[in-house]
Amino acid sequence: MHRVEQLYRAFQRDVYLYLLSLTGDPTQAEDLTSETFLQALCAIGRFRGDSSVKTWLLGIARHLWLRQLRSPPPLTGDSALLGAYLCGPGPESQLIARQTVDRIAQLLSEKGEGPRRTIYLRALGHSYDEIAAALHISPNSARVIEFRTKKWLREQLQKEGYL
């Protein structure tokens, strides 16, 4: 157990900073960092030493991040927020069907990480400056990405009969 603690102390910061650069979200980076070390602990017997321990840990971290990107975003508490944000204020936003919100999430996953994160961060109330910092873009770019993504989503949903 002492060796595991040494491993964690030696590489926790590197793994966290790497994941923070990928996610742009400190909470998500912390969760993935913990999961990385848990996975490493379970797989330590399979570590062959072909690379450095740090490289091995960063590989595990990247794999977990990619797996998280491929999985659909949770729609429990965020679904109403996302629906209201994309469909505008008013009673009709409260009537948005779960199927529509599921389809929005599917469409966002097709657009890629930048547009998806921009929409979710705006839905959560983040400013353009905060989004720009998280995505390493300008605030103006964040505005343009949001505008184009929302426009594209509305067009897709209209074509498919959701709106």
Side-chain angles (χ1 to χ4, degrees):
M1 196 63 164
H2 182 66
R3 287 182 167 252
V4 173
E5 188 177 325
Q6 285 179 329
L7 184 73
Y8 182 81
R9 286 185 181 170
F11 298 107
Q12 180 272 337
R13 181 168 170 75
D14 292 328
V15 171
Y16 171 78
L17 290 175
Y18 175 67
L19 287 165
L20 182 61
S21 74
L22 294 175
T23 65
D25 178 5
T27 304
Q28 189 178 18
E30 287 174 14
D31 291 345
L32 287 171
T33 299
S34 297
E35 194 172 342
T36 297
F37 282 95
L38 181 62
Q39 292 284 326
L41 181 61
C42 294
I44 195 80
R46 295 188 305 267
F47 178 63
R48 298 183 311 234
D50 296 340
S51 64
S52 70
V53 174
K54 180 178 174 180
T55 301
W56 178 63
L57 288 169
L58 294 179
I60 293 171
R62 185 174 190 280
H63 172 76
L64 290 170
W65 173 70
L66 288 171
R67 187 175 70 187
Q68 186 178 51
L69 283 179
R70 285 185 213 114
S71 65
L75 294 176
T76 52
D78 294 339
S79 62
L81 177 64
L82 183 61
Y85 174 71
L86 293 172
C87 298
E92 65 275 0
S93 69
Q94 296 175 8
L95 299 176
I96 194 163
R98 180 152 180 85
Q99 284 181 331
T100 304
V101 175
D102 289 342
R103 184 61 184 141
I104 290 169
Q106 289 172 346
L107 289 168
L108 282 174
S109 69
E110 293 172 16
K111 282 301 269 185
E113 181 184 1
R116 182 174 49 86
R117 286 185 58 206
T118 300
I119 293 297
Y120 277 102
L121 289 172
R122 283 297 291 165
L124 291 170
H126 291 276
S127 71
Y128 292 111
D129 290 332
E130 292 169 326
I131 294 168
L135 299 178
H136 307 291
I137 59 176
S138 71
N140 227 18
S141 293
R143 285 182 182 87
V144 170
I145 290 169
E146 179 204 22
F147 175 80
R148 290 180 180 167
T149 304
K150 284 177 66 176
K151 181 180 175 188
W152 179 80
L153 282 169
R154 283 191 186 106
E155 290 170 356
Q156 295 302 311
L157 293 172
Q158 285 174 343
K159 283 182 194 174
E160 296 174 13
Y162 286 93
L163 295 179

